[in-house]
Amino acid sequence: MNTEKTATRTEPMVGIHEKLYKEVEKIQKWNAKVEIGAKQRDRELHDAKTLIACQRQNLVDLEVQKDQLSGKLEEEVNCKQEISSRIESTRGMCEFLKQYAEGIASICDEYDYNRNSLQNQTDEYSS
């Protein structure tokens, strides 16, 4: 009879051990999933940090390039202003020379007229 009681007592114990073993397996699987998820998130975080560092470097490079281009643009604007000033100055000189040439042409015309008049008068007195 003692063996029957022991057998009846061990049967529930075997069931409990099986349930505990199954629960332990479930916990181990869950723990493995959590560890895999954590490692994956760590990799993603590392990749994101690497990407951020790369983007920051690109941003710094672009800022340097922008500063260089801004300097070149400023030089070009200054050069354009200087060229515009020279063009205006040259136009002024050309206008002055045009007026001067017209004045000289007028004087030459007057000279030719006077010379012809004098020649005609000389010819009239000579004849």
Side-chain angles (χ1 to χ4, degrees), residues 5-105:
K5 284 184 179 182
T6 310
T8 358
R9 285 184 196 168
T10 56
E11 284 178 20
M13 294 297 275
V14 171
I16 292 173
H17 280 289
E18 286 178 16
K19 286 181 182 179
L20 283 173
Y21 182 73
K22 287 180 184 178
E23 287 300 316
V24 167
E25 284 181 354
K26 286 181 184 178
I27 291 171
Q28 287 175 341
K29 286 180 184 178
W30 175 81
N31 192 25
K33 285 182 185 178
V34 168
E35 286 180 12
I36 289 171
K39 286 180 182 178
Q40 185 176 354
R41 283 189 298 280
D42 284 345
R43 269 186 262 125
E44 289 172 356
L45 180 62
H46 179 266
D47 291 346
K49 286 181 179 179
T50 303
L51 180 63
I52 288 170
C54 183
Q55 294 296 331
R56 282 185 179 149
Q57 184 59 45
N58 287 341
L59 183 61
V60 168
D61 293 344
L62 287 173
E63 286 176 355
V64 167
Q65 188 177 8
K66 178 194 73 100
D67 290 342
Q68 290 173 345
L69 289 174
S70 293
K72 287 181 181 178
L73 177 62
E74 187 177 343
E75 288 176 19
E76 290 296 322
V77 167
N78 290 339
C79 184
K80 181 181 176 185
Q81 290 173 346
E82 184 179 329
I83 289 171
S84 293
S85 175
R86 287 182 181 182
I87 289 171
E88 288 302 315
S89 176
T90 302
R91 281 186 184 146
M93 285 189 268
C94 286
E95 186 62 33
F96 171 77
L97 288 174
K98 181 180 173 184
Q99 290 174 357
Y100 186 73
E102 288 173 356
I104 290 177

